């Protein structure tokens, strides 16, 4: 049986299949308040804390998932959104864990949005500064539907009762082993420009391009490592005074592939900063990605 083609490969450089999202770093208003939120609601644990910074992850590991940097007086994200972060997405290892998480939210009275995306089941939250969060679990890859090279995604109602039943009555106590940063999703000003940076430059495959106002891209046939949408078009980019995304990591299997991605981004006409074969690049809306080797 012939394997179905997934997505559209970039024109020049293509990311290695092993590339994945790493730590996300946020600027927030109050470090103590944010730590309390991420510990209580998401079940993350502090791996390191300084006077104005903290790194969080799961309690049985030392891989950072979230960095917090305090800027007292940082302005909360307005309801209409700012160009920059739409949400970062924490991927749980299985459906049962997500069921436990949903029951936990109900127990603590935390309001959330919920959607079935066909490839995944997702919970949506907003942190104390108005920054968007998704917590989700993937369905098995062999159940994903592919039509005309696109993985079929949707925004459907979530069967909450069935999801909670998958927890088998077990209680959520913390983010479990195997929790990772699954993807990042951005408000951008223009899909064509986003495609030029993330697809033609960075080297992500286009995976879903017929979703209204959005483009989803990935490495290795995943449903998406990066989403871009124009749903906040007309809003300004997040400024230095706002609660915002400072940067996000894309982790490569080696320095050589990270350096090749930087070369590709530069060839597409974007500025890059290099540091010993790895470095940073910034998209047209000030969204900064750190390319690093894992």
């Amino acid at each position: 049986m012939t394997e179905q083609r997934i997505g559209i490969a970039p024109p020049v450089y293509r990311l290695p299949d092993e590339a994945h999202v790493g730590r996300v770093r946020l600027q927030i208003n109050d470090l103590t308040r944010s730590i309390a939120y991420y510990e209580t609601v998401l079940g993350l644990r502090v791996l390191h804390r300084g006077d104005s910074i903290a790194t969080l992850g799961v309690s049985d590991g030392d891989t950072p998932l979230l960095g917090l940097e305090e800027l007292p007086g940082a302005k909360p994200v307005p309801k209409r959104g700012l160009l920059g972060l739409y949400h970062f997405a924490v991927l749980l290892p299985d459906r049962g864990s997500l069921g436990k998480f949903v029951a936990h939210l109900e127990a603590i009275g935390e309001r959330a949005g919920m959607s079935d995306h066909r490839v995944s089941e997702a919970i949506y939250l907003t942190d104390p500064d108005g920054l968007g969060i998704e917590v989700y679990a993937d369905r098995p890859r062999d159940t994903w539907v592919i039509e005309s090279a696109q993985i079929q995604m949707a925004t459907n109602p979530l069967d909450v009762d069935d999801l909670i039943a998958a927890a088998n009555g077990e209680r959520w106590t913390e983010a479990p082993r195997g929790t990772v940063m699954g993807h990042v999703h951005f408000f951008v000003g223009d899909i064509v420009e986003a495609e030029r940076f993330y697809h033609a430059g960075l080297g992500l495959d286009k995976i879903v391009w017929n979703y209204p106002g959005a483009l989803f891209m990935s490495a290795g046939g995943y449903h998406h490592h990066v989403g871009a949408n124009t749903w906040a078009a007309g809003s300004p980019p997040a400024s230095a005074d706002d609660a915002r995304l400072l940067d996000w990591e894309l982790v490569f299997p080696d320095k050589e592939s990270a350096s090749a991605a930087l070369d590709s981004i530069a060839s597409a006409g974007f500025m890059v900063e290099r540091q010993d074969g790895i470095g940073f690049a910034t998209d047209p809306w000030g969204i900064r990605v750190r390319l690093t080797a894992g």
Side-chain angles (χ1 to χ4, degrees):
M1 182 177 178
T2 303
E3 186 175 349
Q4 288 182 287
R5 180 173 68 89
I6 299 175
I8 297 173
V12 181
Y13 173 77
R14 190 182 193 194
L15 289 174
D17 288 353
E18 301 87 350
H20 61 274
V21 177
R23 183 210 59 196
V24 167
R25 198 163 60 97
L26 306 176
Q27 177 168 280
I28 47 84
N29 176 58
D30 185 308
L31 186 62
T32 298
R33 180 182 68 173
S34 289
I35 288 174
Y37 176 86
Y38 284 105
E39 287 187 327
T40 302
V41 179
L42 267 68
L44 298 178
R45 297 291 177 258
V46 174
L47 305 179
H48 169 76
R49 180 170 182 174
D51 290 338
S52 60
I53 62 172
T55 302
L56 288 77
V58 297
S59 63
D60 64 350
D62 57 5
T63 300
L65 297 182
L66 187 64
L68 301 174
E69 296 200 9
E70 181 181 73
L71 177 68
K75 295 181 289 187
V77 180
K79 287 186 177 180
R80 68 182 183 276
L82 297 169
L83 299 186
L85 184 68
Y86 176 47
H87 62 244
F88 64 87
V90 176
L91 174 60
L92 299 181
D94 51 63
R95 190 169 190 258
S97 295
L98 189 63
K100 287 189 281 186
F101 180 68
V102 172
H104 159 70
L105 294 180
E106 183 177 354
I108 65 173
E110 187 72 23
R111 297 183 63 181
M114 302 181 184
S115 293
D116 184 331
H117 294 306
R118 298 185 67 178
V119 296
S120 63
E121 294 170 288
I123 312 301
Y124 293 96
L125 299 160
T126 303
D127 86 352
D129 292 283
L131 296 163
I133 306 160
E134 177 180 343
V135 180
Y136 73 112
D138 282 332
R139 289 197 166 95
R141 283 202 184 204
D142 60 9
T143 68
W144 298 356
V145 176
I146 304 165
E147 294 180 4
S148 301
Q150 296 190 75
I151 296 175
Q152 297 302 297
M153 294 173 60
T155 301
N156 297 325
L158 184 66
D159 188 338
V160 178
D161 292 339
D162 187 65
L163 182 58
I164 291 176
N168 295 317
E170 296 180 16
R171 294 181 60 244
W172 174 272
T173 56
E174 61 184 1
R177 178 189 293 271
T179 297
V180 298
M181 194 64 69
H183 66 265
V184 285
H185 193 159
F186 305 126
F187 286 131
V188 300
D190 183 83
I191 291 294
V192 172
E193 275 296 285
E195 180 179 326
R196 194 166 74 86
F197 181 87
Y198 291 101
H199 173 63
L202 182 55
L204 291 158
D205 292 350
K206 291 198 296 182
I207 299 295
V208 181
W209 52 90
N210 66 356
Y211 205 93
L215 175 65
F216 297 94
M217 298 160 282
S218 79
Y222 192 53
H223 55 72
H224 66 299
H225 289 114
V226 173
N229 73 67
T230 55
W231 305 333
S235 295
S239 76
D241 297 326
D242 293 307
R244 61 188 173 109
L245 174 72
L246 292 172
D247 57 48
W248 65 282
E249 283 184 343
L250 186 61
V251 183
F252 290 75
D254 50 63
K255 286 186 177 181
E256 290 74 20
S257 54
S259 181
L262 287 168
D263 290 342
S264 178
I265 295 167
S267 295
F270 299 98
M271 294 294 294
V272 301
E273 307 164 49
R274 297 178 187 272
Q275 299 172 354
D276 189 26
I278 59 177
F280 293 88
T282 304
D283 82 357
W285 305 281
I287 301 166
R288 198 163 188 245
V289 53
R290 180 175 186 260
L291 285 68
T292 185

